[in-house]
Structure formats: structure tokens, C-alpha cells
Amino acid sequence: MTERPTPETLDRFARIVGEKNAIRDEAEMGPYLTEWRERYRGRTPMVLKPGSTEEVAAILKLASETRTAVVPQGGNTGLVGGQIPFGEEIVLALSRLNRICEVDLGGNTMTVEAGVTLSSAQAAAESAGRLFPLSLASEGSCQIGGNLATNAGGVQVLAYGNARDLTLGLEVVLASGEVWNGLKALRKDNTGYDLKNLFIGSEGTLGVITAATLKLFPQPKEVATAFAGLATLEDAARLFNLAREAAGPALTLFELMPRIGVEMVVNHMGGRDPLSEPHPWYALIDLSAHQEGIATDMLAQIIGRGVGEGFVADAAMPTSLAQAQTLRHLREAMSEAQKFEGGSIKHDVSVPVAAVPAFIAAASAAVERLIPGARTVPFGHFGDGNIHFNVTQPAGADKAAFLARWEEVSEAVHDIVAEMGGSISAEHGVGRMKREEIARRKSPVEMTLMRQIKAALDPRGILNPGKLL
């Protein structure tokens, strides 16, 4: 069991990082205690901002000695409450660990500290003529450590994989304060258990990631974009299958959007309809190539065939980067735009790609039965089967009463996900939000294995207690 730190213990923690990096003022701690959706509001006696791996190690050594619980926090962009303390834990904010340590062009790798923002990592790669392809709507504020702790996905998983697939090595501080230096840049290392993959996706419950060696890729010479209007979800599936077969690995993005979501963005977040008439569904598509002209020609052929065969109703292909960014804004702002319409019950799920149309239809029908008039806003990563199945309150409904039915609605949606062999958390993690549900839906063997791993690496239970398990 952990214990609430005494004033003397807090003073000892403060001496490790210096008083200016040990925040105790309630107002100053406020931004660290509320997550983006405002679903969770936390409490803490202190926020610590270490400036080195050595300081993180000293903090965890003291935490283990005094049985003080610690909540690691990156950019505080998590969506399941995993970074928010319950009250007795201290917050370990890693934003000062923000160095780009090395960019190795020969090995196509980059080593960065955990507090580097995703956009800074992308920019460092770009300035070296390389691509770091992890791309999220929160990339200006989310941090690499948090991306790895949650195994972040994003819009280019289709071509490049999750954060796990983009990582070669880690540096991790263990609960004891020991440091595991696994910052290898090897593409192959078959010498026993893959330790780094224990920590990626563990949400700070097994260790604190302080640095990572990441994969880089050649910058594409051309990225072609299309925005297609579609009549049905089955048409979206036909277009995806065509694009995948025709473009192969050049297909780097295939995002699904409903009409209602586009309207919310246009009405509340700016922008305009890219097509002359509304359509029930839209697909945002990117093709990337390493020779000029290839991607544009290939995408034009794909869209032309879709129009000719009747499963693409209309489409636009931007001719400038600014136009392409305007189209991407429609997708990236879709979650935030829902705030202006009242309460929103959100789901981050995955099903087999071929089952996406059936899942959306079944889940939408289930929601309508539970809450007539509720507005479903399913959008996201069609190409890898990850759909953000959000449910906005009926127009004019009471927000609090609607949100009070979160668990009821989620259980209905997640039951359908389970029936289709899917996952109730595709890229956001478990955190506080799905902790109990994971225990119900995973097998006893899986839960036992996870608890045994937790007990082995964090025997005193000081790392992010009450999250994931």
C-alpha cells in the first residue's frame, strides 16, 4: 500500500529538482490536474518537473523508500484519465526532458528525451531530410514519452504502424530508481524477452520512459490528397479496397468522416464544404511517393475508377499544400467540434477492417434504441479498423442527464465490438476510464499475467496506481 507523503517527504522530493521545479501552489498545479475532456479532475500534494534521467531516478528511489505513489505525465493530452492523480500521488511532469539527443541519418534513427513534443520530433526529422510519421491531432502538445506509454496510433498507422512499431530502443527508470538503458538502434535483436515492449503501452504502470530511439523514414517527394463523397459505408469499403490494391504501401492515409461531423466542424471550427453537394460519408485519402507525379496520377486513376463504377459520388483533389491542410482540418477538428453540440460519449474501438460498416450500423442502431435522437459521429482510421464512435447528445437535451448514461451506452457499443472480435481501446489506452471493463472482458489468464508483470516490476505499487489494472 502507498502512503500520503508527509511535509518532510515532500521537502525531500523538492530538493531533488529544486524548489522552482517543485510546484505546490494549487492554482499553479491546476493545468496538471484536468484532462482535455474535463471528465477527470485530480488532486495532488505536489508536481515535480525533473530535468534529467538522474533526477527521475532519484525521485523514484525516494518514492519506493517512502511508499509514495507517482503519476508520470507528458503533455496531459490523454483521453482516458491515465495521467490524472487521485489525490495522494505526486505528479511527475516530464516536459523538461526535451532534448533531441541524436539524429542518425545513416541508421535512419533519432534519439530523443521523453518530454520532446511530437511536433518537435517531426520537425527535427524534417530538418534532417527524414520523416517521423507518427501524426496526431494533439501533436503540438503531446510528448514522445506519453505517445510511447499509450502506444499512440494516429492517422498514418495504415502505412507505418503504431508508436510501438516506430520504436527501436528505450531508456526507462524502474520503480526502484534503477535505470534500464535500452537505447539500442538495432533492427534485429533476438537475445531474449523484448523488454521495451513491456513498457510501451503500459501507461506508466511499469516504469517511467525517459528517452527513446525512434525509426525515421525517407521524406516522400510527393503526397497526393483526395476528399471523396460517398453514399454508403459499403462504398467507403469499396474505395478503400481499391486504393489498397492499386497503391499498396503508397496508401498512407484513409480516414472516414460522417456528414454530421463535417457539419459540426464547418459550423463551429471554420472551414467550408469541399464538395458542391453534401454526402452521407466522406473519405480523406493520402498517397505518398518518392518520385514526383506518381502519387497524383495514381490517386486520380483510383478516384476516376470509383466515380466511373458509381461508388464515389464526387471528389476533390487539392492542388496546393494549403488546400490539403484545409481538408485535413475537417478530420483533425472533428473531436473538438463536438464540444459545441453538448455532451459527447466517446469510444475508441477497433474491429476487423472488413467489419467496420457492419459495426457502425449495429452500434448506431443500439444507441438509437437506448437514447432516441442521440447523434452518432463515427469517424477515424478506416484503414486499420479503428473507429472513434462518438455519440453526441440529442439536440436540446440535458447534458448532465445524457452523460450520466455513459456506462450504459458504452456497454452496448462494446458488446458489439466484442461480438466482432474487436478491442474496446484501439489507441487511447485504458487509464481510469476502462480499468474495470478491461478486467471483465479479458480472460482470467490475461489478467493474471498482467498482474504478475506489474508485481514483478513494481512490487510496492507506486507507479500510477489505479490505472490500467
Side-chain angles (χ1 to χ4, degrees), residues 24 35 42 59 93 141 157 272 278 309 313 345 352 367 416-417 431 452:
R24 308 192 208 199
E35 47 89 49
I59 290 167
S141 52
V157 169
R272 62 180 180 83
E309 296 184 11
I345 297 173
V367 167
I416 295 168
V417 171
Q452 288 174 339

Side-chain angles (χ1 to χ4, degrees), residues 125-150:
E126 184 176 6
S127 67
R130 296 293 188 269
L131 170 71
F132 181 60
L134 188 65
S135 181
L136 312 171
S138 60
E139 57 197 29
S141 52
C142 66
Q143 297 172 13
I144 292 297
N147 296 152
L148 298 180
T150 58

Side-chain angles (χ1 to χ4, degrees), residues 166-338:
L166 299 172
T167 306
L168 293 172
L170 293 180
E171 178 185 77
V172 180
V173 180
L174 305 179
S176 62
E178 297 171 285
V179 179
W180 172 54
N181 186 346
L183 288 175
K184 296 181 178 180
L186 300 176
R187 305 283 169 154
K188 289 183 175 181
D189 181 5
N190 199 16
T191 55
Y193 303 127
D194 188 347
L195 297 179
K196 74 176 185 299
N197 277 323
L198 280 176
F199 299 102
I200 297 174
S202 69
E203 303 184 38
T205 63
L206 301 180
V208 177
I209 296 170
T210 50
T213 299
L214 307 170
K215 295 179 184 177
L216 300 181
F217 297 83
Q219 281 277 1
K221 300 295 184 184
E222 178 193 22
V223 178
T225 301
F227 188 86
L230 307 161
T232 68
L233 286 164
E234 289 71 25
D235 288 341
R238 289 186 66 184
L239 180 57
F240 171 69
N241 289 332
L242 171 61
R244 181 173 55 181
E245 292 170 7
L251 177 61
T252 48
L253 182 146
F254 194 103
E255 295 288 299
L256 177 73
M257 292 169 281
R259 175 63 194 171
I260 187 173
V262 170
E263 289 177 351
M264 288 178 179
V265 174
V266 171
N267 291 338
H268 301 299
M269 304 289 292
R272 62 180 180 83
D273 270 320
L275 305 180
S276 59
E277 295 181 0
H279 302 277
W281 299 95
Y282 300 92
L284 179 67
I285 309 168
D286 277 0
L287 262 59
S288 302
H290 296 286
Q291 291 182 359
E292 293 285 352
I294 292 178
T296 298
D297 290 346
M298 188 183 302
L299 187 53
Q301 291 175 22
I302 291 168
I303 295 298
R305 180 175 164 186
V307 171
E309 296 184 11
F311 56 87
V312 173
D314 193 8
M317 290 186 62
T319 57
S320 69
L321 179 59
Q323 291 175 349
Q325 289 174 336
T326 297
L327 294 178
R328 187 170 287 232
H329 169 72
L330 292 173
R331 164 61 184 87
E332 292 179 343
M334 194 156 291
S335 185
E336 186 174 356
Q338 292 166 55

Side-chain angles (χ1 to χ4, degrees), residues 4 50 55 122 317:
R4 184 173 181 82
E55 288 184 357
Q122 293 168 339
M317 290 186 62

